[in-house]
Amino acid sequence: MSSGGPVPQEFSVAVVGGGIIGLSIAWRLAQSGWTVAIFDKCAAGGEASWAGAGMLAPGGEFEEVSRLTELAIESRREYQPFVRELEAESDTAIDFGECGALDLAFSGEELKALDERARGQSAIGIHSKALELSQVYAFWPRIRRDTLAGARFYPDDAVVNPRDVVYALKIACRKRGVRIAEHCGVQRLAISENSVTIETEEGSAEYRAVVVAAGAWSSQLAVGGVPDLPSARPVKGQLIGYRQPAGTCATIVRHGSFYFLQRANGLMIAGASVEHSGFNREIRPTITEQLAKQAGLVFPHLDETTPSEVWVGFRPGGEELQIRSWHSPRLYLAYGHYRNGILLAPVTAKAITTELNANLQKP
Ligand SMILES: Cc1cc2nc3c(=O)[nH]c(=O)nc-3n(C[C@H](O)[C@H](O)[C@H](O)COP(=O)(O)OP(=O)(O)OC[C@H]3O[C@@H](n4cnc5c(N)ncnc54)[C@H](O)[C@@H]3O)c2cc1C
Protein backbone atom coordinates (compact mmCIF):
# COMPACT_ATOMS: atom_id res chain seq x y z
CA MET A 1 0.00 0.00 0.00
CA SER A 2 1.24 3.49 -0.70
CA SER A 3 -0.08 6.81 0.48
CA GLY A 4 3.27 8.50 0.51
CA GLY A 5 3.23 9.73 -3.08
CA PRO A 6 6.13 9.26 -5.44
CA VAL A 7 9.55 8.19 -4.22
CA PRO A 8 11.33 11.30 -2.93
CA GLN A 9 13.92 12.52 -5.44
CA GLU A 10 16.46 15.33 -5.12
CA PHE A 11 17.42 14.56 -1.51
CA SER A 12 21.00 13.81 -0.44
CA VAL A 13 20.49 11.26 2.32
CA ALA A 14 17.81 8.58 2.66
CA VAL A 15 16.92 7.05 6.01
CA VAL A 16 15.22 3.64 5.85
CA GLY A 17 12.90 3.36 8.86
CA GLY A 18 11.03 6.15 10.61
CA GLY A 19 11.10 4.94 14.22
CA ILE A 20 12.66 7.01 16.98
CA ILE A 21 16.13 6.10 15.70
CA GLY A 22 15.57 7.01 12.04
CA LEU A 23 13.66 10.18 12.92
CA SER A 24 16.33 11.35 15.40
CA ILE A 25 19.05 10.77 12.82
CA ALA A 26 17.08 12.56 10.10
CA TRP A 27 16.49 15.52 12.41
CA ARG A 28 20.18 15.84 13.31
CA LEU A 29 21.30 15.40 9.68
CA ALA A 30 18.84 18.06 8.54
CA GLN A 31 20.07 20.39 11.28
CA SER A 32 23.60 19.94 10.02
CA GLY A 33 22.64 20.90 6.47
CA TRP A 34 21.75 17.67 4.65
CA THR A 35 18.55 17.27 2.67
CA VAL A 36 16.94 14.11 3.98
CA ALA A 37 14.15 11.72 3.00
CA ILE A 38 12.78 9.06 5.36
CA PHE A 39 11.11 5.90 4.06
CA ASP A 40 8.79 3.89 6.26
CA LYS A 41 6.89 0.81 5.17
CA CYS A 42 4.03 1.76 7.52
CA ALA A 43 3.28 4.92 9.51
CA ALA A 44 6.53 6.36 10.85
CA GLY A 45 6.87 5.74 14.59
CA GLY A 46 4.24 3.01 14.63
CA GLU A 47 6.36 0.02 15.64
CA ALA A 48 8.75 -0.50 18.59
CA SER A 49 8.95 3.25 19.16
CA TRP A 50 5.19 3.35 19.68
CA ALA A 51 5.21 0.26 21.93
CA GLY A 52 8.19 1.13 24.15
CA ALA A 53 7.66 1.87 27.83
CA GLY A 54 10.07 4.79 27.79
CA MET A 55 12.38 4.07 30.72
CA LEU A 56 15.65 5.97 30.44
CA ALA A 57 17.21 3.78 33.02
CA PRO A 58 20.85 2.72 33.03
CA GLY A 59 20.25 1.75 36.69
CA GLY A 60 17.88 -1.02 35.66
CA GLU A 61 19.81 -2.19 32.65
CA PHE A 62 23.57 -2.14 33.09
CA GLU A 63 26.03 -3.67 35.52
CA GLU A 64 29.31 -3.95 33.63
CA VAL A 65 31.70 -1.71 31.77
CA SER A 66 31.01 -1.89 28.03
CA ARG A 67 30.61 0.45 25.09
CA LEU A 68 26.84 0.00 25.43
CA THR A 69 26.92 1.05 29.10
CA GLU A 70 28.98 4.12 28.25
CA LEU A 71 26.61 5.06 25.43
CA ALA A 72 23.60 4.57 27.70
CA ILE A 73 25.02 6.79 30.43
CA GLU A 74 25.99 9.44 27.89
CA SER A 75 22.56 9.33 26.25
CA ARG A 76 20.82 9.61 29.60
CA ARG A 77 22.94 12.72 30.33
CA GLU A 78 21.94 14.19 26.98
CA TYR A 79 18.24 13.42 27.25
CA GLN A 80 17.05 16.55 28.97
CA PRO A 81 18.71 18.94 26.48
CA PHE A 82 17.54 16.67 23.63
CA VAL A 83 13.93 16.87 24.87
CA ARG A 84 14.05 20.61 25.52
CA GLU A 85 15.50 21.34 22.07
CA LEU A 86 12.95 19.09 20.42
CA GLU A 87 10.07 20.69 22.32
CA ALA A 88 11.27 24.11 21.22
CA GLU A 89 11.69 23.14 17.54
CA SER A 90 8.42 21.23 17.30
CA ASP A 91 6.42 23.51 19.59
CA THR A 92 4.94 20.46 21.33
CA ALA A 93 5.17 19.20 24.91
CA ILE A 94 6.96 15.94 25.74
CA ASP A 95 6.05 13.94 28.84
CA PHE A 96 9.55 13.57 30.36
CA GLY A 97 10.38 13.15 34.04
CA GLU A 98 13.67 12.83 35.90
CA CYS A 99 11.83 10.84 38.54
CA GLY A 100 14.34 8.14 39.54
CA ALA A 101 13.65 4.44 40.02
CA LEU A 102 12.93 2.27 43.04
CA ASP A 103 14.18 -1.33 43.08
CA LEU A 104 12.31 -3.61 45.49
CA ALA A 105 13.42 -6.75 47.34
CA PHE A 106 10.79 -9.05 48.83
CA SER A 107 13.27 -11.40 50.56
CA GLY A 108 16.65 -11.24 52.27
CA GLU A 109 18.17 -12.99 49.28
CA GLU A 110 16.76 -10.46 46.82
CA LEU A 111 18.03 -7.64 49.00
CA LYS A 112 21.53 -9.12 49.08
CA ALA A 113 21.50 -9.38 45.29
CA LEU A 114 20.33 -5.76 44.95
CA ASP A 115 23.12 -4.53 47.22
CA GLU A 116 25.77 -6.54 45.39
CA ARG A 117 24.64 -5.27 42.01
CA ALA A 118 24.64 -1.70 43.32
CA ARG A 119 28.25 -2.03 44.49
CA GLY A 120 29.32 -3.09 40.99
CA GLN A 121 27.27 -0.35 39.37
CA SER A 122 28.71 2.44 41.50
CA ALA A 123 32.16 1.54 40.14
CA ILE A 124 30.89 2.31 36.62
CA GLY A 125 29.14 5.56 37.51
CA ILE A 126 25.60 4.31 38.18
CA HIS A 127 24.63 5.47 41.66
CA SER A 128 21.91 4.32 44.03
CA LYS A 129 21.18 4.38 47.74
CA ALA A 130 19.52 1.97 50.15
CA LEU A 131 16.24 3.23 51.60
CA GLU A 132 14.67 2.55 54.98
CA LEU A 133 11.32 0.76 54.73
CA SER A 134 9.72 3.77 56.43
CA GLN A 135 10.96 5.96 53.54
CA VAL A 136 9.49 3.55 51.00
CA TYR A 137 6.13 3.56 52.78
CA ALA A 138 6.15 7.36 53.02
CA PHE A 139 6.92 8.02 49.34
CA TRP A 140 5.27 4.96 47.73
CA PRO A 141 2.29 4.32 50.04
CA ARG A 142 0.61 1.84 47.68
CA ILE A 143 3.50 -0.66 47.54
CA ARG A 144 2.99 -4.02 49.24
CA ARG A 145 4.25 -3.87 52.84
CA ASP A 146 3.81 -7.32 54.39
CA THR A 147 6.74 -8.99 52.64
CA LEU A 148 8.93 -6.03 51.65
CA ALA A 149 12.52 -6.65 52.79
CA GLY A 150 14.27 -3.56 51.43
CA ALA A 151 14.70 -1.20 48.50
CA ARG A 152 17.25 0.91 46.62
CA PHE A 153 16.65 4.22 44.89
CA TYR A 154 18.35 5.17 41.59
CA PRO A 155 18.05 8.97 41.38
CA ASP A 156 19.35 9.28 37.80
CA ASP A 157 16.85 7.01 36.05
CA ALA A 158 14.08 8.82 34.16
CA VAL A 159 11.03 8.30 31.95
CA VAL A 160 9.77 9.72 28.68
CA ASN A 161 6.68 9.03 26.62
CA PRO A 162 8.19 7.73 23.34
CA ARG A 163 5.00 8.52 21.44
CA ASP A 164 5.44 12.20 22.35
CA VAL A 165 9.07 12.08 21.21
CA VAL A 166 8.15 10.51 17.86
CA TYR A 167 5.32 13.01 17.31
CA ALA A 168 7.67 15.92 18.05
CA LEU A 169 10.41 14.47 15.84
CA LYS A 170 8.03 14.18 12.89
CA ILE A 171 7.10 17.85 13.25
CA ALA A 172 10.70 18.98 13.78
CA CYS A 173 11.86 16.95 10.77
CA ARG A 174 9.17 18.37 8.48
CA LYS A 175 9.97 21.91 9.65
CA ARG A 176 13.55 21.28 8.54
CA GLY A 177 12.42 20.08 5.12
CA VAL A 178 12.73 16.34 5.72
CA ARG A 179 10.34 14.37 3.46
CA ILE A 180 8.71 11.50 5.34
CA ALA A 181 7.50 8.93 2.80
CA GLU A 182 5.14 6.68 4.77
CA HIS A 183 3.73 3.38 3.50
CA CYS A 184 6.69 3.23 1.17
CA GLY A 185 8.79 0.20 2.06
CA VAL A 186 12.32 -0.12 0.76
CA GLN A 187 13.02 -3.43 -0.93
CA ARG A 188 16.60 -3.12 -2.09
CA LEU A 189 19.67 -0.94 -1.75
CA ALA A 190 22.44 -0.89 -4.34
CA ILE A 191 25.64 0.72 -3.10
CA SER A 192 28.13 2.02 -5.65
CA GLU A 193 31.21 4.20 -5.35
CA ASN A 194 29.39 7.49 -5.83
CA SER A 195 25.79 6.87 -4.88
CA VAL A 196 23.15 4.61 -3.40
CA THR A 197 20.06 3.49 -5.27
CA ILE A 198 16.94 2.77 -3.26
CA GLU A 199 14.30 0.56 -4.80
CA THR A 200 10.70 0.52 -3.61
CA GLU A 201 7.47 -0.81 -5.11
CA GLU A 202 6.74 2.76 -6.21
CA GLY A 203 10.02 3.20 -8.08
CA SER A 204 13.62 4.04 -7.30
CA ALA A 205 15.80 7.04 -6.51
CA GLU A 206 19.47 7.87 -5.99
CA TYR A 207 21.07 9.39 -2.92
CA ARG A 208 24.57 10.23 -1.78
CA ALA A 209 24.18 8.10 1.34
CA VAL A 210 21.68 5.88 3.13
CA VAL A 211 21.09 5.08 6.78
CA VAL A 212 19.43 1.77 7.64
CA ALA A 213 17.32 2.27 10.79
CA ALA A 214 14.58 -0.27 10.17
CA GLY A 215 14.60 -1.75 13.68
CA ALA A 216 13.85 -5.47 13.88
CA TRP A 217 13.40 -5.59 10.08
CA SER A 218 16.79 -4.11 9.18
CA SER A 219 18.56 -7.22 7.94
CA GLN A 220 15.60 -8.17 5.73
CA LEU A 221 16.73 -5.52 3.25
CA ALA A 222 18.44 -6.84 0.14
CA VAL A 223 21.69 -4.95 -0.25
CA GLY A 224 23.97 -5.05 -3.29
CA GLY A 225 27.57 -3.87 -3.42
CA VAL A 226 28.54 -4.64 0.20
CA PRO A 227 28.54 -7.78 2.40
CA ASP A 228 25.21 -8.85 3.96
CA LEU A 229 24.03 -6.70 6.86
CA PRO A 230 24.52 -7.97 10.44
CA SER A 231 21.40 -9.82 11.50
CA ALA A 232 18.47 -8.21 13.28
CA ARG A 233 15.65 -10.16 14.88
CA PRO A 234 12.43 -9.30 16.69
CA VAL A 235 12.07 -9.84 20.44
CA LYS A 236 8.40 -9.41 21.18
CA GLY A 237 7.31 -7.56 24.32
CA GLN A 238 3.79 -7.37 25.74
CA LEU A 239 2.80 -4.57 28.13
CA ILE A 240 -0.33 -3.81 30.13
CA GLY A 241 -1.69 -0.45 31.29
CA TYR A 242 -4.01 0.67 34.08
CA ARG A 243 -5.81 4.00 34.33
CA GLN A 244 -4.78 5.31 37.73
CA PRO A 245 -4.84 8.65 39.55
CA ALA A 246 -1.75 10.72 38.72
CA GLY A 247 1.00 10.15 41.30
CA THR A 248 0.09 6.49 41.99
CA CYS A 249 3.55 5.53 40.73
CA ALA A 250 5.60 8.72 40.73
CA THR A 251 8.89 6.96 39.89
CA ILE A 252 9.85 3.84 38.01
CA VAL A 253 9.28 0.88 40.34
CA ARG A 254 11.10 -2.39 39.60
CA HIS A 255 11.02 -5.88 41.00
CA GLY A 256 13.52 -8.11 39.20
CA SER A 257 12.86 -7.79 35.48
CA PHE A 258 9.31 -6.55 36.09
CA TYR A 259 8.67 -2.79 36.08
CA PHE A 260 6.07 -0.05 36.48
CA LEU A 261 5.95 3.55 35.40
CA GLN A 262 3.21 6.11 34.98
CA ARG A 263 2.56 8.57 32.15
CA ALA A 264 1.54 12.15 32.92
CA ASN A 265 -1.94 11.24 31.62
CA GLY A 266 -2.32 8.65 34.40
CA LEU A 267 -1.69 5.48 32.38
CA MET A 268 0.30 3.17 34.65
CA ILE A 269 2.32 0.72 32.59
CA ALA A 270 3.51 -2.69 33.73
CA GLY A 271 5.72 -5.01 31.76
CA ALA A 272 7.05 -6.70 29.96
CA SER A 273 7.22 -10.12 28.38
CA VAL A 274 10.27 -11.26 26.41
CA GLU A 275 9.19 -13.58 23.59
CA HIS A 276 11.12 -15.09 20.72
CA SER A 277 8.22 -15.80 18.38
CA GLY A 278 9.07 -13.89 15.22
CA PHE A 279 6.81 -11.09 13.99
CA ASN A 280 3.73 -12.54 15.65
CA ARG A 281 1.47 -9.68 16.80
CA GLU A 282 -0.92 -11.86 18.78
CA ILE A 283 -1.79 -10.56 22.26
CA ARG A 284 -1.60 -13.60 24.51
CA PRO A 285 -4.13 -13.71 27.37
CA THR A 286 -1.82 -15.93 29.46
CA ILE A 287 0.88 -13.25 29.29
CA THR A 288 -1.66 -10.57 30.25
CA GLU A 289 -2.66 -12.69 33.26
CA GLN A 290 0.96 -13.23 34.31
CA LEU A 291 1.72 -9.51 34.06
CA ALA A 292 -1.44 -8.62 36.00
CA LYS A 293 -0.52 -11.13 38.72
CA GLN A 294 2.96 -9.61 39.04
CA ALA A 295 1.39 -6.15 39.18
CA GLY A 296 -0.86 -7.22 42.06
CA LEU A 297 2.13 -8.62 43.97
CA VAL A 298 3.84 -5.21 43.98
CA PHE A 299 0.76 -2.95 44.11
CA PRO A 300 -1.95 -4.92 45.98
CA HIS A 301 -4.68 -2.45 44.98
CA LEU A 302 -4.22 -3.62 41.36
CA ASP A 303 -5.20 -7.17 42.35
CA GLU A 304 -8.85 -6.45 41.65
CA THR A 305 -8.24 -4.12 38.70
CA THR A 306 -8.44 -5.16 35.06
CA PRO A 307 -5.83 -3.63 32.74
CA SER A 308 -7.45 -1.10 30.44
CA GLU A 309 -4.86 -1.51 27.69
CA VAL A 310 -2.65 -4.29 26.37
CA TRP A 311 -0.21 -4.00 23.50
CA VAL A 312 2.84 -5.61 21.91
CA GLY A 313 5.91 -4.46 20.04
CA PHE A 314 9.09 -5.87 18.54
CA ARG A 315 12.33 -4.88 20.21
CA PRO A 316 15.10 -4.80 17.63
CA GLY A 317 17.38 -7.58 18.85
CA GLY A 318 20.17 -9.18 16.90
CA GLU A 319 23.88 -9.79 16.89
CA GLU A 320 24.83 -6.52 18.54
CA LEU A 321 24.14 -2.80 18.51
CA GLN A 322 25.05 -1.30 15.12
CA ILE A 323 25.91 2.40 14.98
CA ARG A 324 28.46 2.62 12.19
CA SER A 325 29.23 2.79 8.49
CA TRP A 326 29.16 -0.56 6.69
CA HIS A 327 31.92 -1.22 4.13
CA SER A 328 31.26 2.09 2.38
CA PRO A 329 31.16 5.79 3.32
CA ARG A 330 27.70 5.74 1.69
CA LEU A 331 26.01 3.17 3.95
CA TYR A 332 25.31 3.60 7.69
CA LEU A 333 23.66 1.20 10.11
CA ALA A 334 21.66 2.27 13.16
CA TYR A 335 19.82 -0.72 14.59
CA GLY A 336 19.92 -3.46 17.22
CA HIS A 337 19.03 -1.14 20.12
CA TYR A 338 17.00 -3.97 21.65
CA ARG A 339 15.41 -2.77 24.93
CA ASN A 340 17.15 0.62 25.06
CA GLY A 341 16.37 2.33 21.77
CA ILE A 342 14.34 5.11 23.36
CA LEU A 343 17.23 5.84 25.72
CA LEU A 344 19.89 5.57 23.02
CA ALA A 345 18.24 7.78 20.37
CA PRO A 346 20.19 10.99 21.18
CA VAL A 347 23.67 9.38 21.09
CA THR A 348 22.83 7.29 18.04
CA ALA A 349 21.75 10.35 16.07
CA LYS A 350 24.84 12.25 17.15
CA ALA A 351 27.24 9.42 16.27
CA ILE A 352 25.78 8.75 12.80
CA THR A 353 25.65 12.47 11.96
CA THR A 354 29.25 12.95 13.07
CA GLU A 355 30.52 9.99 11.04
CA LEU A 356 28.57 10.87 7.93
CA ASN A 357 29.74 14.50 8.11
CA ALA A 358 33.34 13.32 8.45
CA ASN A 359 33.06 10.96 5.45
CA LEU A 360 31.09 12.97 2.91
CA GLN A 361 30.92 16.57 1.74
CA LYS A 362 27.54 18.22 1.41
CA PRO A 363 26.58 19.06 -2.15
C1 LIG B 1 7.51 -3.79 25.05
C2 LIG B 1 8.70 -2.90 24.82
C3 LIG B 1 9.17 -2.09 25.84
C4 LIG B 1 10.28 -1.26 25.63
N1 LIG B 1 10.69 -0.44 26.63
C5 LIG B 1 11.74 0.38 26.42
C6 LIG B 1 12.16 1.28 27.43
O1 LIG B 1 11.57 1.35 28.50
N2 LIG B 1 13.25 2.08 27.19
C7 LIG B 1 13.94 2.03 26.00
O2 LIG B 1 14.91 2.77 25.85
N3 LIG B 1 13.54 1.19 25.02
C8 LIG B 1 12.48 0.37 25.21
N4 LIG B 1 12.08 -0.49 24.23
C9 LIG B 1 12.90 -0.62 23.02
C10 LIG B 1 12.63 0.51 22.07
O3 LIG B 1 11.25 0.67 21.89
C11 LIG B 1 13.32 0.20 20.73
O4 LIG B 1 14.68 -0.14 20.94
C12 LIG B 1 13.26 1.40 19.80
O5 LIG B 1 11.94 1.86 19.67
C13 LIG B 1 13.81 1.02 18.45
O6 LIG B 1 13.59 2.09 17.56
P1 LIG B 1 13.83 1.90 16.02
O7 LIG B 1 13.57 3.20 15.38
O8 LIG B 1 15.14 1.23 15.80
O9 LIG B 1 12.76 0.79 15.59
P2 LIG B 1 11.20 0.92 15.26
O10 LIG B 1 10.52 1.88 16.12
O11 LIG B 1 10.67 -0.47 15.19
O12 LIG B 1 11.21 1.57 13.82
C14 LIG B 1 11.65 0.86 12.69
C15 LIG B 1 10.81 1.36 11.52
O13 LIG B 1 11.33 0.83 10.32
C16 LIG B 1 10.24 0.59 9.45
N5 LIG B 1 10.66 -0.37 8.43
C17 LIG B 1 10.94 -1.68 8.58
N6 LIG B 1 11.32 -2.23 7.41
C18 LIG B 1 11.29 -1.23 6.50
C19 LIG B 1 11.56 -1.17 5.10
N7 LIG B 1 11.95 -2.25 4.41
N8 LIG B 1 11.39 0.01 4.47
C20 LIG B 1 10.99 1.12 5.13
N9 LIG B 1 10.71 1.10 6.48
C21 LIG B 1 10.86 -0.05 7.13
C22 LIG B 1 9.14 0.09 10.38
O14 LIG B 1 7.85 0.28 9.80
C23 LIG B 1 9.35 0.95 11.62
O15 LIG B 1 8.53 2.11 11.63
C24 LIG B 1 10.94 -1.28 24.38
C25 LIG B 1 10.43 -2.05 23.34
C26 LIG B 1 9.31 -2.85 23.55
C27 LIG B 1 8.78 -3.64 22.40
Side-chain angles (χ1 to χ4, degrees):
M1 179 175 86
S2 169
S3 66
V7 177
Q9 310 280 346
E10 312 292 328
F11 291 83
S12 299
V13 182
V15 177
V16 183
I20 195 168
I21 299 298
L23 286 162
S24 300
I25 292 168
W27 181 44
R28 289 305 192 204
L29 286 173
Q31 282 181 327
S32 81
W34 292 95
T35 56
V36 185
I38 298 177
F39 291 79
D40 200 291
K41 67 178 174 56
C42 305
E47 292 287 358
S49 305
W50 173 86
M55 288 178 294
L56 311 172
E61 294 288 315
F62 302 103
E63 301 173 27
E64 287 163 9
V65 183
S66 69
R67 178 173 175 244
L68 182 56
T69 304
E70 283 165 13
L71 285 174
I73 293 173
E74 186 187 337
S75 212
R76 170 62 193 92
R77 215 180 292 126
E78 291 182 10
Y79 229 89
Q80 198 202 42
F82 177 83
V83 163
R84 297 297 169 238
E85 185 184 350
L86 187 52
E87 286 184 320
E89 274 212 16
S90 63
D91 205 16
T92 61
I94 294 174
D95 173 11
F96 166 72
E98 298 195 299
C99 54
L102 182 73
D103 263 314
L104 300 172
F106 286 102
S107 68
E109 214 171 297
E110 285 183 4
L111 187 56
K112 199 168 152 228
L114 271 191
D115 290 343
E116 263 170 35
R117 192 177 68 132
R119 267 194 294 280
Q121 287 178 316
S122 86
I124 57 171
I126 297 174
H127 302 295
S128 63
K129 61 178 178 191
L131 295 188
E132 301 291 332
L133 290 184
S134 58
Q135 294 174 296
V136 178
Y137 303 150
F139 288 105
W140 294 267
R142 294 235 179 220
I143 283 176
R144 175 175 296 276
R145 297 183 181 202
D146 50 359
T147 50
L148 190 62
R152 294 198 76 86
F153 186 63
Y154 286 77
D156 298 328
D157 285 355
V159 292
V160 74
N161 184 339
R163 298 180 195 178
D164 288 354
V165 179
V166 160
Y167 180 71
L169 280 168
K170 285 170 95 164
I171 294 174
C173 278
R174 288 192 173 112
K175 279 189 174 174
R176 293 232 170 224
V178 175
R179 172 82 62 80
I180 305 178
E182 298 184 296
H183 305 288
C184 189
V186 172
Q187 294 171 320
R188 190 168 189 282
L189 307 175
I191 319 291
S192 67
E193 199 183 328
N194 297 317
S195 67
V196 178
T197 305
I198 282 199
E199 290 172 19
T200 76
E201 268 185 18
E202 313 304 319
S204 61
E206 267 195 15
Y207 302 90
R208 289 167 56 80
V210 63
V211 182
V212 175
W217 296 264
S218 294
S219 58
Q220 289 183 358
L221 284 170
V223 184
V226 292
D228 287 349
L229 303 187
S231 77
R233 63 180 162 76
V235 182
K236 181 179 169 187
Q238 186 167 319
L239 288 162
I240 57 176
Y242 298 88
R243 290 281 156 198
Q244 292 288 296
T248 304
C249 182
T251 67
I252 298 169
V253 172
R254 297 187 286 248
H255 177 226
S257 60
F258 188 72
Y259 59 79
F260 294 89
L261 59 92
Q262 191 171 24
R263 302 266 189 252
N265 65 12
L267 186 71
M268 187 167 157
I269 294 171
S273 68
V274 176
E275 300 169 59
H276 299 275
S277 52
F279 290 102
N280 173 359
R281 292 184 192 269
E282 180 196 4
I283 286 178
R284 292 170 58 197
T286 49
I287 300 274
T288 307
E289 275 164 33
Q290 282 166 20
L291 293 172
K293 193 169 162 210
Q294 285 283 336
L297 285 175
V298 177
F299 285 96
H301 77 284
L302 294 179
D303 252 344
E304 303 302 321
T305 314
T306 307
S308 57
E309 290 170 44
V310 184
W311 66 98
V312 297
F314 300 115
R315 303 176 188 89
E319 280 172 27
E320 59 178 19
L321 176 63
Q322 306 294 332
I323 308 178
R324 58 191 293 197
S325 57
W326 184 250
H327 298 276
S328 163
R330 306 209 170 269
L331 175 60
Y332 298 82
L333 309 184
Y335 62 83
H337 295 75
Y338 188 41
R339 43 193 287 162
N340 286 292
I342 310 302
L343 169 63
L344 292 167
V347 285
T348 304
K350 188 170 75 175
I352 294 288
T353 304
T354 304
E355 196 184 355
L356 199 145
N357 278 334
N359 287 347
L360 296 176
Q361 292 216 320
K362 289 173 200 110

